[in-house]
Amino acid sequence: LKEDDPPQPIGEYGRNKLEAETLCLETMKTKGLEVVILRPSTIVGENVIDHQLRSLLKWVAWKLPLLSIGNGHSRFQMSSLRGCLSACLLAAEKKEAAGHVFNIGADDPPSVREFMKSVRKLTHNPFPVLPVPAGPLKWVLAALDRLGISTVPPRAVPAGCRCSARRSQK
């Protein structure tokens, strides 16, 4: 996504984030407060690991098959903690950043399928990446999330997701 693409928040969490951004930008206009919106992707670094990544690593350690929602063509974006901190400092230093929105992440992140295949190869996981239809997945993810072993929180599966469940390549 680009900074000027229309926002399409997923779930209550995404809607709340967008509302907070709107309030901050409105405050800038009405009160003169300088505001910069930073939208980091999944942040990873020393002693910082995302819930989804932590769960994925558990599945890898347990030698379970890796699952992708639908056909796995969506992109998996990560940002380093160091890169996010640099972006925060740069946003604070540069006056011309005020009033703008910046996405923090790579220009060409891998697809979920590519990412999972890399994890599988690096960890010598013997199972193929398995595509799972999005529809019934929400209920399964909710149960796995309660057990602490879900690789994806249920809120990450958009309502009405029409992900294809074609067989994934190894």
Side-chain angles (χ1 to χ4, degrees):
L1 295 175
K2 303 290 182 213
E3 285 84 355
D4 57 356
D5 285 346
Q8 297 177 0
I10 296 173
E12 183 178 356
Y13 177 73
R15 287 188 299 275
N16 289 338
K17 282 175 50 175
L18 181 59
E19 184 179 342
E21 288 181 8
T22 303
L23 289 171
C24 288
L25 292 171
E26 286 173 3
T27 300
M28 180 176 171
K29 291 176 187 172
T30 60
K31 306 284 186 197
L33 178 67
E34 290 186 0
V35 173
V36 179
I37 305 292
L38 299 178
R39 295 176 178 158
S41 53
T42 299
I43 301 171
V44 294
E46 189 175 338
N47 299 320
V48 177
I49 189 161
D50 174 71
H51 168 74
Q52 294 175 38
L53 221 41
R54 183 184 316 273
S55 296
L56 172 65
L57 293 174
K58 283 181 189 177
W59 280 51
V60 167
W62 296 335
K63 299 286 187 208
L64 294 172
L66 303 180
L67 308 177
S68 72
I69 300 170
N71 60 21
H73 291 301
S74 60
R75 301 283 168 187
F76 186 74
Q77 182 74 265
M78 289 184 282
S79 301
S80 71
L81 176 59
R82 199 175 292 261
C84 287
L85 292 173
S86 294
C88 289
L89 292 172
L90 193 59
E93 291 171 4
K94 300 291 183 181
K95 294 288 184 190
E96 60 267 30
H100 293 281
V101 175
F102 299 97
N103 295 326
I104 302 172
D107 287 332
D108 189 25
S111 70
V112 169
R113 180 186 297 174
E114 292 165 340
F115 175 74
M116 294 282 202
K117 284 168 59 178
S118 295
V119 168
R120 194 176 151 260
K121 183 177 178 181
L122 288 169
T123 60
H124 307 288
N125 186 315
F127 297 104
V129 176
L130 301 174
V132 178
L137 185 60
K138 263 192 152 165
W139 296 295
V140 173
L141 288 177
L144 293 175
D145 196 47
R146 282 191 290 278
L147 295 172
I149 58 173
S150 173
T151 58
V152 180
R155 71 176 185 278
V157 181
C161 178
R162 303 228 189 287
C163 301
S164 164
R166 293 185 292 177
R167 184 155 185 86
S168 148
Q169 298 175 7
K170 286 187 183 181

